[in-house]
Amino acid sequence: MRKGMNPDLYRDEWQWQEGDTTVTRSCQWSGPGCHQGCNVLFYTKDDKLVKIEGDPRSPVNEGRLCMRCLAMVEAVNHPDRILHPLKRVGERGENKWEEITMDEAYAIIAEKAREVTEEYGPKSIVTGIGTGRNATWQTSSLAFAGFKTPNDTAGMLSGDCCYTPRLQAMNAIFGSDFIADCAQLSADRFDDPEYRRPDVILNWACNPVVSNADGFFGHWIIDCMQHGSKLFVVDTRVTWMAAHAEIFLQLRPGTDAAVALGICHVMLEENLYDKEFCDMWVYGMEALEERAAAYTPEVVEKISWVPAEKIVEAARYLGSAGTVALQWGLPLDQTKWAVGASLAVAAVEVLTGSIDVPGGFVNVKYGHVQSDIRENICKGMGKEVREGRLGDGKYALRTVGFGPHSMGDDILLAMETGEPYPIKMGFLCSTNSFINMAGESKRVYEAWQKVPFVVVCDLFMTPTAAGCADIVLPIAMGCERWGIRAWFTPLRAINKILQAGDARGDEQIMLELGQILNPDMFFWDTVPEMNEYVMKNLSSMPFDITWEELQEKTLVYPKFQYRKYETGDMRFDHQPGFNTTTGRIELYCTMYDSAGIDPLPSFKEPTCSPVSAPEEAKEYPFVLTTGRRSWEFFHSEHRQLKSMREFHPWPLCEINTQDAEELGIRDGDWVYLENQWGKIMQKAEVSDGVLKGTIMAEHGWWFPERSGKLEDGLYGAFDSNINCLTIQNDMATAGYGSSYKTQLCKVYKVEDGTEPKGDMPENVGRNQFEVVNR
């Protein structure tokens, strides 16, 4: 409970009345929103959301909310929301629709699925999901148990390059998942007697106060800083975190592994690592030392642009820092050599010895609720239907059991070529596929045109829906659905308080459509009934609690235990050690060795860089890195909200002050970013926060206020979308990681008269799709 909170104003029950207003405690963990399920209070009156507020009783966010949650009232009540199923009228791209009933929509979808299955087999059906919130298990469950296809994908994301490479690295070298311990594992937080804050937070390739990625609330780091923690930041640009760091290493995009190996080199050479811990619990120290020997600070400076003396300073700082908590981010995943980079950064953390200790890098073996639910529903069908899954047998790590999805890159090839079998149906839920997830946006858009029948489930009409869908299903927002969610801890309830038109939660769509496709597997009558079943079958949460009890409590914390490797609680055989083949942390990874990939931390140049592609660099002299997070938007969401666009009306790219001066570019000028893959237009933000020779561009941009007709540009889908300049099918042997953040480009000013006019699109919020035959 937040200090100073009025307990009479913020009561402890999950729902209460304040005059004619109902207050409901819940968890906002669905679109529009981010990766972190902050606890909120929804205020409703006359069946309408009128206010949202952070829940001060929640230890998760202690009443704090960002702009995205505060805009929920605007989003929920937005006039452009899709509230009824839509059936395409005319050709794709005309953006004309007929409203139909949910029963009619389900019947069309089920009939198409049966036709495809009978003629081509179920593998010719592809499902797709968006980013990791409370909408990543429903569609895959529907794929396995409903459509009976193994081909579920993360929205065509190349190389599964979002958290998966880091997860694989952790499971390969530690045998389980690890996170930074910033007092979030207990409801008592800093008052927990077993807890002590980190001495240093190693914030590597992450801007957590903006992104709140991977279930991690960025302000937990601020809380630790207020209790005395220091910051060590590695990033390509100056962020708020970097500006407040004791040590800041600003590196060339894609060179994280070299910097990490350089730090390891100095720590090992100068005996600045935790020798006692490593001697007892780490396998492969000699191999790591041999690998790191080549990465002297001088060598690393040439590779990364980080001065050699800063590498030495950084290693010495970590070597004497005390307890270090690693919080790392997406840029490590979005390079071709993501696996080696993740191993390298993990090795730095291991050398500090701060493993599974209070305030360190701790093992969390619970909270995989999405996997629990999927397994409860599918009852092993994932394995039953997996034969022939696209991507299997082609990439090294899939040969040893890794692989949560089909490979989007291989689905793309099958869509284009019909090999090894054709793709005849797509079911996309909460993913704006070629705007946000997929590289080579135009190529992916064109590939979807070859799929005869496509369903899109979303909140608003998006370019993916307008350009590709035959049926559009309306999705419920957070206050309009029931749900169970945890990303590590705590276990949280999402409580439904409103019904908006025909909008359905992802769970309800899965259940209702699943009952038509395969009623034996989807045997519950309602989502709450299904939730009750799930609560009785949670394998990753040590609770004996009913759905109604969770709903009333809103959240519950399991008891956390430190130093599990000493007690045998980390291994399946309950012996001391880590859940690996050797029983130790494997800096020489035996599992990777058996899969035929480099078992050690490693650095390789990006496919397209000034070093690896010098001829291309002559024409495209800037290193282009993408995906800059902003306060206002989550990926491609929120662009139709006036409040968000007032703060952030246009797509931005950061360019170094000296580079801008040499090119005659001023702050606020529209510029073209162009490379061998495409050309787009964004507004220049001139800054000393990015290195000379680099460009940082925003992603996810489209313009809901423009026409959604293909002939008019499909909401500006390809005008400012940075994924027109990124690529698909450029993965390493491991199969994970992709080059989203390591491309080249040139930059030049847009000619006067060509740039968009105005500072704020006046017609944001207007309906930009046509409904006929109501």
Side-chain angles (χ1 to χ4, degrees), residues 18 66 86 107-108 151 173 208 257 327 514 537 590-591 631 667 748:
E18 290 186 1
C66 74
L86 301 172
I108 293 170
N151 289 319
I173 67 176
Q327 173 60 19
N537 293 276
T590 57
M591 188 232 291
W631 299 102
D667 191 73
Y748 53 101

Side-chain angles (χ1 to χ4, degrees), residues 343-577:
L343 292 179
V345 175
V348 173
E349 175 67 20
V350 170
L351 293 183
T352 71
S354 305
I355 304 301
D356 210 33
V357 297
F361 198 46
V362 294
N363 170 232
V364 184
K365 52 179 192 172
Y366 48 68
H368 302 285
V369 172
Q370 299 196 104
S371 297
D372 291 347
I373 300 173
R374 186 185 301 114
E375 186 59 30
N376 282 327
I377 292 172
C378 297
K379 299 176 181 63
M381 284 196 71
K383 297 177 182 178
E384 178 183 320
V385 302
R386 181 166 172 169
E387 184 178 355
R389 186 173 73 167
L390 292 168
D392 283 8
K394 185 175 179 180
Y395 305 102
L397 289 183
R398 288 178 177 255
T399 65
V400 291
F402 276 139
H405 307 287
S406 298
M407 289 296 289
D409 303 86
D410 290 83
I411 289 175
L412 175 61
L413 294 174
M415 291 162 67
E416 292 175 327
T417 67
E419 298 295 335
Y421 44 81
I423 303 301
K424 294 295 181 178
M425 176 176 168
F427 187 93
L428 304 178
C429 203
S430 303
T431 176
N432 199 358
S433 176
F434 60 87
I435 297 297
N436 178 59
M437 300 290 272
E440 291 187 75
S441 293
K442 290 183 179 180
R443 176 187 174 190
V444 172
Y445 165 76
E446 290 166 359
W448 278 117
Q449 301 312 304
K450 296 183 178 182
V451 179
F453 182 71
V454 177
V455 180
V456 171
C457 313
D458 219 316
L459 306 164
F460 296 95
M461 186 63 67
T462 66
T464 299
C468 305
D470 300 285
I471 296 289
V472 178
L473 298 182
I475 289 289
M477 294 194 187
C479 57
E480 302 161 351
R481 59 188 291 185
W482 302 107
I484 301 168
R485 185 66 164 106
W487 199 330
F488 302 124
T489 188
L491 183 65
R492 282 164 260 191
I494 299 172
N495 290 318
K496 179 177 178 178
I497 54 176
L498 295 174
Q499 176 62 47
D502 291 319
R504 304 285 205 268
D506 303 77
E507 297 87 349
Q508 190 172 354
I509 288 176
M510 175 206 69
L511 179 56
E512 291 173 347
L513 190 51
Q515 287 170 337
I516 298 172
L517 296 168
N518 190 359
D520 290 341
M521 302 298 287
F522 298 90
F523 53 83
W524 308 276
D525 291 328
T526 65
V527 172
E529 183 183 329
M530 181 181 71
N531 287 348
E532 182 60 40
Y533 176 88
V534 167
M535 292 300 296
K536 293 177 181 177
N537 293 276
L538 288 177
S539 59
S540 71
M541 276 290 189
F543 293 125
D544 182 12
I545 183 173
T546 67
W547 158 243
E548 287 189 0
E549 289 170 337
L550 179 64
Q551 176 189 341
E552 293 173 1
K553 293 176 181 292
T554 309
L555 55 82
V556 288
Y557 285 82
K559 172 64 178 174
F560 188 78
Q561 177 189 349
Y562 292 104
R563 298 182 176 86
K564 292 178 284 298
Y565 56 86
E566 295 180 346
T567 61
D569 289 313
M570 196 175 288
R571 290 182 59 86
F572 288 118
D573 60 10
H574 305 296
Q575 296 298 309

Side-chain angles (χ1 to χ4, degrees), residues 304-322:
S304 68
W305 304 350
V306 177
E309 61 269 22
K310 291 287 291 184
I311 299 292
V312 175
E313 179 189 9
R316 290 172 179 170
Y317 183 82
L318 286 177
S320 60

Side-chain angles (χ1 to χ4, degrees), residues 12 96 126 168 170 179 217 257 373 454 529 537 548 555:
D12 62 357
K96 292 182 180 180
V126 168
Q168 290 175 339
M170 286 187 286
I179 61 175
F217 185 52
I373 300 173
V454 177
E529 183 183 329
N537 293 276
E548 287 189 0
L555 55 82

Side-chain angles (χ1 to χ4, degrees), residues 270-312:
E270 298 186 7
N271 290 314
L272 298 172
Y273 66 99
D274 189 330
K275 191 173 187 305
E276 181 180 356
F277 175 83
C278 291
D279 284 348
M280 180 167 290
W281 298 111
V282 178
Y283 174 80
M285 286 294 293
E286 291 182 3
L288 174 66
E289 189 169 2
E290 183 177 343
R291 173 62 56 86
Y295 290 87
T296 65
E298 293 73 23
V299 168
V300 172
E301 177 177 349
K302 292 179 181 179
I303 294 171
S304 68
W305 304 350
V306 177
E309 61 269 22
K310 291 287 291 184
I311 299 292
V312 175

